[in-house]
Amino acid sequence: MLNYILRRLALMIPTIFGILLVSFVVIQFVPGGPVERMIAQLQGHGAEATGRISGGGSGDMAGQNMAAQMTGQSSQYRGAQGLDPEFVKELEAMYGFDKPAPERFMTMIGNYLRFDLGTSYYRDVKVTDLVLEKMPVSISLGLWSTLLIYLISIPLGIKKAVKDGQPFDIWTSAAIFVGYAIPSFLFAILLIILFAGGRYFDLFPLRGIVSDDWATFPWWKQAIDYIWHMTLPVCAMVISGFAGLTMLTKNSFLDEIGKQYVLTARAKGLPEKKVLYGHVFRNAMLIVIAGFPAAFMHIFFTGSLLIEVIFSLDGLGLLGYESIINRDYPVVLGTLYIYALIGLVVTLLRDIVYVLVDPRINFEASPNA
């Protein structure tokens, strides 16, 4: 197993390189980059835009002294007519676009190897600091949502498989269909209306993961305050996320329960719990474990975007979305690098759990491992 882990760790390097290469190439062809946005500001707002630029961060200071250099000369950038080409070149240099794309890419890779993810174009903050600042929100949403979804879905799916066709299975299926049909953001709005001062009760806060004076609380009150803030967003994600995993668990168990080895175990007189949790569970859980990385990544990064917006939670999902809209390329590529690393590590952990659940699995015996 150790050799397999080492090989997988080694394969992470070309995998991440390929992800970053494809993303970098795509970005080169996306219109409306930072230079174009700066030109649009200068052309559309004149001196007023220049004033805003001058206060927007050290990366934009050059705009203050260059906005007045409008002439009638042309440029490769759409909308740059009327700007001095020298001014446009200085804008390119300010954002690092004065160098060839291959050179910029290799410089970026070298920096990423040192975990230097660059600086945001518009916030004048290191991308690493931004990610670390937003990470607690996304970790809180992703970790607790995933944990609760698995703690609810796996026992419920097993129970539904055992009670297949009985009233318990029928009634719980109704709740699952609701979870399938209604997305998490609609549940979030409903919870706000019911429990956050929307119309009925004002029991939970609507902003942040802790109170403003959280640091002054004793440790037990800090824990309560944290749970108080996280209750509604986590519930919204759990309600809409448990349905798929519950049905996957149920179907997996039903498939295993009908196999010959289960009939043999029952014929030998083994207790039902021993049959279910000593024999069926190990084989049925392989499919559930296989889907864990995708489920975790969806909840951790993608699924939390609307929840972060609705509950005013400033996390990685919102950061990634805003960076794409603003063409903040260092943040886009830096967060993508983090996502890729986490995804590959989680996939490796899935394979390790495979072996723990079923020791018969031997990845090292596979020629393609």
Side-chain angles (χ1 to χ4, degrees), residues 5-82:
I5 294 175
L6 294 176
R7 289 200 300 271
R8 286 293 298 273
L9 291 174
L11 284 173
M12 288 182 183
I13 298 175
T15 302
I16 293 178
F17 182 87
I19 292 172
L20 292 176
L21 176 61
V22 171
S23 303
F24 184 86
V25 171
V26 170
I27 283 176
Q28 305 310 304
F29 297 97
V30 175
V35 175
E36 289 90 337
R37 287 174 63 87
M38 179 69 73
I39 290 173
Q41 281 187 314
L42 295 175
Q43 291 282 53
H45 303 284
E48 180 184 353
T50 306
R52 289 200 303 271
I53 292 168
S54 65
S58 63
D60 297 330
M61 291 294 291
Q64 183 178 17
N65 297 322
M66 295 183 288
Q69 298 178 19
M70 297 181 181
T71 65
Q73 303 181 35
S74 61
S75 171
Q76 60 176 327
Y77 295 102
R78 198 170 76 180
Q81 290 78 9

Side-chain angles (χ1 to χ4, degrees), residues 85-160:
E86 291 299 322
F87 164 61
V88 176
K89 289 181 181 179
E90 291 188 41
L91 278 180
E92 292 177 338
M94 184 172 66
Y95 290 111
F97 289 96
D98 56 328
K99 300 176 182 178
E103 182 180 346
R104 285 188 280 119
F105 177 73
M106 295 310 299
T107 300
M108 182 189 75
I109 292 297
N111 292 335
Y112 279 18
L113 291 176
R114 304 192 305 270
F115 227 78
D116 178 6
L117 306 183
T119 303
S120 169
Y121 286 155
Y122 304 107
R123 305 187 190 214
D124 195 27
V125 178
K126 289 186 176 180
V127 176
T128 306
D129 295 337
L130 274 177
V131 170
L132 292 177
E133 178 187 344
K134 314 299 183 184
M135 186 71 78
V137 173
S138 295
I139 289 179
S140 296
L141 287 174
L143 178 62
W144 298 122
S145 299
T146 304
L147 180 62
L148 289 175
I149 287 172
Y150 270 75
L151 288 177
I152 294 171
S153 300
I154 292 177
L156 181 59
I158 295 173
K159 187 74 172 180
K160 285 176 65 64

Side-chain angles (χ1 to χ4, degrees), residues 168-189:
F168 176 83
D169 180 43
I170 295 173
W171 286 107
T172 53
S173 294
I176 289 174
F177 291 149
V178 171
Y180 263 129
I182 303 180
S184 59
F185 72 90
L186 288 182
F187 276 118
I189 295 173

Side-chain angles (χ1 to χ4, degrees), residues 265-266 269-281:
R266 286 172 172 168
L270 291 178
E272 188 66 15
K273 288 186 177 180
K274 179 68 173 177
V275 174
L276 288 176
Y277 296 101
H279 294 78
V280 176
F281 183 84

